[in-house]
Amino acid sequence: MKDYSSKAVHVGIPRGHAEPLGIPIYPAAAYQFDDLDVAADEFQQNTGYSYIRMQNMTNQALEERLCSLEGADTTVVMASGQAASLAAFLSTCKAGDHIVASSAVFGGTAGLLNNVLPNLGITASIVDNNPEAARAAMRDNTRHLWVETISNPNGDVADLQGWADVAHEHGALFCVDNTLAGAGYLCRPFDHGADMIMHSLTKWAGGHGSALAGCVMVKDGANIDNIPVLQDLKDQFGPRALSRKVRSIGVHQLGMTLSPFNAFMIAQGLETLELRMLKECDNAMKIAQFLQDHPRVKSVNYSGLESSPFHAVAQKYLRNGFGAVMSFEVEDPERFFKSLKMIRMVANLGDTRTLCIHPWTTTHGRLSEEGKKAAGVSPYLIRMTVGVESLQDILSDLEGAL
Ligand SMILES: *Cc1c(COP(=O)(O)O)cnc(C)c1O
């Protein structure tokens, strides 16, 4: 199997007589051992089945499917995207280390970088979303660079290869939050120099907006000579040291393990990701054009528009479409939200339904005024994640609200 659509519905399901055609949910908290040697070996290696925090057959099927879709060697699923981000940072950094991240990142990621990691002695420089700004912020102790493929609310697209080059020139690792590119459907960052990928699977991978989940993916063989926190595993595991670290930190030690029920929900969602994303991207392109031409709309941010400053870089890195998220400025946000009839005011992304939110008072509400402006958020800005409803119904709702 070569293509996304085939892998998304087949990988993780065994072939064979009377095998179920679906991914079973295994809620068992622990697994049986045959004899003392087997049990001792399992505790020594910690690779297979002993206890649900370490591994679970439902989670493993989802991990296999995600690896195949994104070209990863290892995927570790976790309880949320937020858990996955923390695991990615702690797998590459320890006290005294430094991170360089783009300012165009999810609020929860900024919270980790600004409020949680500094208490553990890990500091971060938040820079403009371009490789030159990253290069200027590099220090001898920089171990990790972080960007989002497509950021929200404004859909900035990162120059992935440029960021990767800066990381590798300095012996650091490059991690991409690929959430808005839908589980590798719109972009595969490992093809553009990434060493690690993080996803909130809560968004497009699930798609139904009914399960919280996240993952870290690893491509084996990154140069880890300059990453102190990995040196103890390097002798034992060689090129697989980074993926071992992610699993040991994220699930064995911090216990941020995904529930097998949620793993099942996400695996089901992946089966229709391509169909949803195709419709959402198609809807989004036409809605962006409609908004751009609308006299009551002051500005539209969508990398699919030729007027977008990110159009060229989006054409380079995104395949199959420009994504389902856009933002736009209206004259009167309060009246806009009050007038919507079908579209709902909700903070989620990647849902089957079209959802809008007012970043100034919600997702970015806790930032200072300068912080909001740096993130490209004005009091007039609306963020929209486009769903799979009929284009006509979405357009008439927007027309009415404008
Ligand atoms: C939602 C989101 C996260 C956090 O994921 P959760 O599953 O909500 O914990 C991280 N990054 C991006 C880009 C997101 O949209």
Side-chain angles (χ1 to χ4, degrees):
M1 275 177 292
K2 203 165 87 349
D3 290 328
Y4 197 98
S5 47
S6 327
K7 292 173 181 171
V9 295
H10 284 291
V11 176
I13 304 176
R15 294 187 89 86
H17 175 69
E19 287 282 359
L21 187 61
I23 295 179
I25 302 172
Y26 292 95
Y31 299 86
Q32 307 172 50
F33 301 118
D34 264 351
D35 57 40
L36 283 179
D37 284 346
V38 171
D41 196 48
E42 180 49 50
F43 273 75
Q44 194 69 35
Q45 303 293 330
N46 228 343
T47 52
Y49 295 106
S50 58
Y51 181 63
I52 191 170
R53 175 155 39 78
M54 317 301 178
Q55 191 51 288
N56 170 280
M57 291 166 180
T58 313
N59 294 20
Q60 198 167 35
L62 172 61
E63 290 179 348
E64 226 184 284
R65 183 169 288 181
L66 287 164
C67 278
S68 83
L69 293 176
E70 196 126 357
D73 291 313
T74 302
T75 297
V76 183
V77 293
M78 292 181 217
S80 67
Q82 209 46 22
S85 302
L86 179 63
F89 291 131
L90 294 182
S91 300
T92 50
C93 296
K94 62 181 191 168
D97 288 344
H98 176 249
I99 296 166
V100 172
S102 156
S103 59
V105 296
F106 175 71
T109 310
L112 290 176
L113 294 170
N114 293 326
N115 306 324
V116 177
L117 296 177
N119 292 336
L120 306 177
I122 301 166
T123 53
S125 299
I126 313 287
V127 302
D128 285 350
N129 190 2
N130 70 71
E132 287 322 307
R135 183 173 276 114
M138 295 300 285
R139 300 181 191 161
D140 289 344
N141 61 340
T142 306
R143 314 296 177 201
H144 186 124
L145 276 74
W146 176 280
V147 296
E148 294 181 10
T149 314
I150 307 173
S151 75
N152 92 72
N154 290 335
D156 303 7
V157 180
D159 175 3
L160 298 180
Q161 192 62 56
W163 278 79
D165 292 345
V166 174
H168 298 149
E169 282 161 23
H170 289 79
L173 295 171
F174 178 43
C175 184
V176 177
D177 178 341
N178 203 30
T179 300
L180 271 74
Y185 183 63
L186 297 181
C187 178
R188 289 171 33 126
F190 288 135
D191 297 342
H192 307 290
D195 303 302
M196 307 166 80
I197 293 172
M198 171 267 161
H199 276 287
S200 167
L201 301 171
T202 317
K203 315 292 168 50
W204 282 267
H208 29 54
S210 35
L212 182 71
C215 71
V216 176
M217 301 173 155
V218 176
K219 187 94 189 150
D220 289 340
N223 174 10
I224 55 168
D225 292 348
N226 201 28
I227 311 293
V229 78
L230 292 174
Q231 296 313 306
D232 57 333
L233 291 175
K234 207 176 105 186
D235 296 339
Q236 203 185 343
F237 296 104
R240 307 204 60 234
L242 178 59
S243 62
R244 284 293 300 203
K245 188 73 179 178
V246 171
R247 196 175 291 285
S248 96
I249 283 272
V251 297
H252 299 180
Q253 290 168 318
L254 294 184
M256 303 187 290
T257 306
L258 181 63
S259 145
F261 292 94
N262 280 5
F264 170 79
M265 295 295 285
I266 301 297
Q268 290 291 96
L270 285 172
E271 302 197 349
T272 56
L273 186 145
E274 174 169 320
L275 292 173
R276 287 182 278 114
M277 200 52 127
L278 280 171
K279 176 106 192 252
E280 290 172 13
C281 288
D282 193 41
N283 276 350
M285 193 68 218
K286 289 169 182 147
I287 293 165
Q289 282 158 347
F290 160 84
L291 292 170
Q292 181 170 249
D293 294 339
H294 200 287
R296 289 254 165 95
V297 174
K298 294 200 281 184
S299 65
V300 184
N301 302 299
Y302 185 63
S303 72
L305 294 174
E306 271 165 38
S307 57
S308 162
F310 295 98
H311 189 61
V313 70
Q315 280 182 310
K316 177 167 176 194
Y317 292 111
L318 305 185
R319 25 176 231 167
N320 306 318
F322 295 95
V325 176
M326 71 185 68
S327 64
F328 52 98
E329 288 183 304
V330 300
E331 290 165 358
D332 185 348
E334 207 165 317
R335 196 188 59 203
F336 175 84
F337 281 106
K338 277 217 171 79
S339 318
L340 289 172
K341 297 204 161 54
M342 178 182 77
I343 298 169
R344 296 166 200 251
M345 199 198 312
V346 174
N348 196 16
L349 293 166
D351 198 284
T352 46
R353 290 151 284 241
T354 300
L355 310 173
C356 282
I357 195 81
H358 185 231
W360 184 267
T361 49
T362 60
T363 53
H364 293 66
R366 263 177 293 172
L367 295 180
S368 65
E369 206 142 305
E370 296 88 80
K372 289 177 188 168
K373 297 236 159 85
V377 174
S378 84
Y380 305 102
L381 193 77
I382 312 286
R383 181 191 82 191
M384 180 161 67
T385 181
V386 175
V388 300
E389 304 98 330
S390 86
L391 177 66
Q392 208 41 58
D393 279 338
I394 303 171
L395 289 179
S396 25
D397 205 16
L398 290 172
E399 178 64 56
L402 287 166

Coordinates of all heavy atoms in Angstrom, one line a residue, residues 80-83 85 106 109 148 150 152 177 179-180 198-203 212-214 349, ligand 1:
S80 N -3.1 13.5 25.5 CA -3.6 14.7 24.9 C -2.4 15.3 24.1 O -1.3 14.9 24.2 CB -3.9 15.8 26.0 OG -2.8 16.2 26.7
G81 N -2.7 16.3 23.2 CA -1.7 17.0 22.5 C -0.7 17.7 23.5 O 0.5 17.7 23.3
Q82 N -1.3 18.2 24.5 CA -0.5 19.0 25.5 C 0.5 18.0 26.2 O 1.7 18.4 26.4 CB -1.5 19.5 26.5 CG -1.2 20.7 27.3 CD -0.6 21.9 26.5 OE1 -0.7 22.1 25.3 NE2 0.1 22.7 27.2
A83 N 0.1 16.8 26.5 CA 1.0 15.8 27.1 C 2.1 15.4 26.1 O 3.3 15.3 26.5 CB 0.2 14.5 27.4
S85 N 3.3 17.4 23.7 CA 4.3 18.5 23.6 C 5.3 18.5 24.8 O 6.5 18.6 24.6 CB 3.6 19.8 23.7 OG 2.7 19.9 22.6
F106 N 0.5 27.5 19.3 CA -0.7 27.2 20.1 C -0.5 27.8 21.5 O 0.6 27.7 22.1 CB -0.9 25.7 20.1 CG -2.0 25.2 21.0 CD1 -3.3 25.5 20.6 CD2 -1.7 24.5 22.1 CE1 -4.3 25.0 21.4 CE2 -2.7 24.0 22.9 CZ -4.1 24.3 22.6
T109 N 1.1 25.5 24.1 CA 2.6 25.3 23.9 C 3.3 26.5 24.5 O 4.3 26.3 25.2 CB 2.9 25.2 22.4 OG1 2.0 24.2 21.8 CG2 4.3 24.8 22.2
E148 N 5.1 25.2 14.2 CA 3.9 24.6 13.7 C 3.9 24.7 12.1 O 4.2 25.8 11.6 CB 2.6 25.3 14.2 CG 2.5 25.1 15.7 CD 1.3 25.7 16.3 OE1 0.4 26.2 15.6 OE2 1.2 25.8 17.6
I150 N 1.3 24.7 10.0 CA 0.3 25.8 9.8 C -0.1 26.3 11.2 O -0.5 25.5 12.0 CB -0.9 25.3 9.0 CG1 -0.5 24.5 7.8 CG2 -1.9 26.4 8.7 CD1 -1.7 23.8 7.1
N152 N -2.2 28.7 14.0 CA -3.5 29.4 14.1 C -3.3 30.6 15.1 O -2.5 30.6 15.9 CB -4.6 28.4 14.5 CG -4.8 28.3 16.0 OD1 -5.3 29.2 16.6 ND2 -4.3 27.2 16.7
D177 N 5.0 20.8 15.2 CA 3.6 20.5 15.6 C 2.8 20.5 14.3 O 2.6 21.6 13.7 CB 3.1 21.6 16.5 CG 1.7 21.4 16.9 OD1 0.9 20.7 16.2 OD2 1.2 22.0 17.9
T179 N -0.3 19.5 13.7 CA -1.7 19.3 13.9 C -2.6 19.8 12.8 O -3.5 19.1 12.3 CB -2.1 20.0 15.3 OG1 -1.4 19.4 16.3 CG2 -3.6 19.8 15.5
L180 N -2.4 21.0 12.4 CA -3.3 21.6 11.4 C -3.1 21.1 10.0 O -3.9 21.3 9.1 CB -3.1 23.2 11.3 CG -4.1 23.9 12.4 CD1 -3.6 23.7 13.8 CD2 -4.2 25.3 12.0
M198 N 4.9 16.3 16.5 CA 3.9 16.3 17.5 C 2.5 16.5 16.9 O 2.4 17.3 16.0 CB 4.2 17.3 18.6 CG 3.1 17.4 19.7 SD 2.1 18.8 19.2 CE 0.6 18.5 20.2
H199 N 1.5 15.8 17.4 CA 0.1 16.1 16.9 C -0.8 16.2 18.1 O -0.7 15.4 19.1 CB -0.4 14.9 16.1 CG -0.1 14.9 14.7 ND1 -0.6 15.8 13.8 CD2 0.8 14.2 14.0 CE1 -0.1 15.6 12.6 NE2 0.8 14.6 12.7
S200 N -1.8 17.1 18.1 CA -3.0 17.0 18.8 C -4.0 16.1 18.0 O -4.5 16.6 16.9 CB -3.7 18.3 19.1 OG -5.0 18.0 19.6
L201 N -4.2 14.9 18.3 CA -5.0 14.0 17.6 C -6.5 14.3 17.8 O -7.4 13.8 17.1 CB -4.7 12.5 17.9 CG -3.3 12.1 17.6 CD1 -3.0 10.7 18.2 CD2 -3.0 12.1 16.1
T202 N -6.7 15.2 18.8 CA -8.1 15.6 19.2 C -8.7 16.3 18.0 O -10.0 16.4 17.9 CB -8.0 16.6 20.3 OG1 -7.1 16.1 21.3 CG2 -9.3 16.9 20.9
K203 N -7.9 16.9 17.1 CA -8.4 17.7 16.0 C -8.8 16.9 14.8 O -9.7 16.1 14.8 CB -7.4 18.8 15.7 CG -6.8 19.5 17.0 CD -7.9 20.3 17.7 CE -7.4 20.8 19.1 NZ -6.1 21.4 19.2
L212 N -10.0 13.2 23.3 CA -8.8 13.9 23.5 C -7.6 12.9 23.3 O -7.6 11.8 23.9 CB -8.8 14.5 25.0 CG -7.6 15.3 25.4 CD1 -7.6 16.7 24.7 CD2 -7.6 15.5 26.9
A213 N -6.6 13.3 22.6 CA -5.4 12.5 22.3 C -4.3 13.3 21.7 O -4.6 14.3 21.1 CB -5.8 11.3 21.4
G214 N -3.1 12.7 21.8 CA -2.0 13.4 21.1 C -0.9 12.3 20.8 O -1.0 11.1 21.2
L349 N -10.8 22.7 16.9 CA -10.4 22.7 15.4 C -10.6 21.3 14.8 O -10.6 20.3 15.5 CB -8.9 23.1 15.4 CG -8.4 24.4 15.8 CD1 -6.9 24.4 16.0 CD2 -8.8 25.5 14.8
Ligands
LIG1 C1 -5.2 21.6 20.3 C2 -3.8 21.8 19.9 C3 -2.8 21.4 20.8 C4 -3.0 20.8 22.2 O1 -3.7 19.6 22.0 P1 -4.8 19.0 23.1 O2 -5.1 17.7 22.4 O3 -5.9 20.0 23.2 O4 -4.1 18.8 24.4 C5 -1.4 21.6 20.4 N1 -1.1 22.2 19.2 C6 -2.1 22.6 18.4 C7 -1.7 23.3 17.1 C8 -3.4 22.4 18.7 O5 -4.4 22.9 17.9

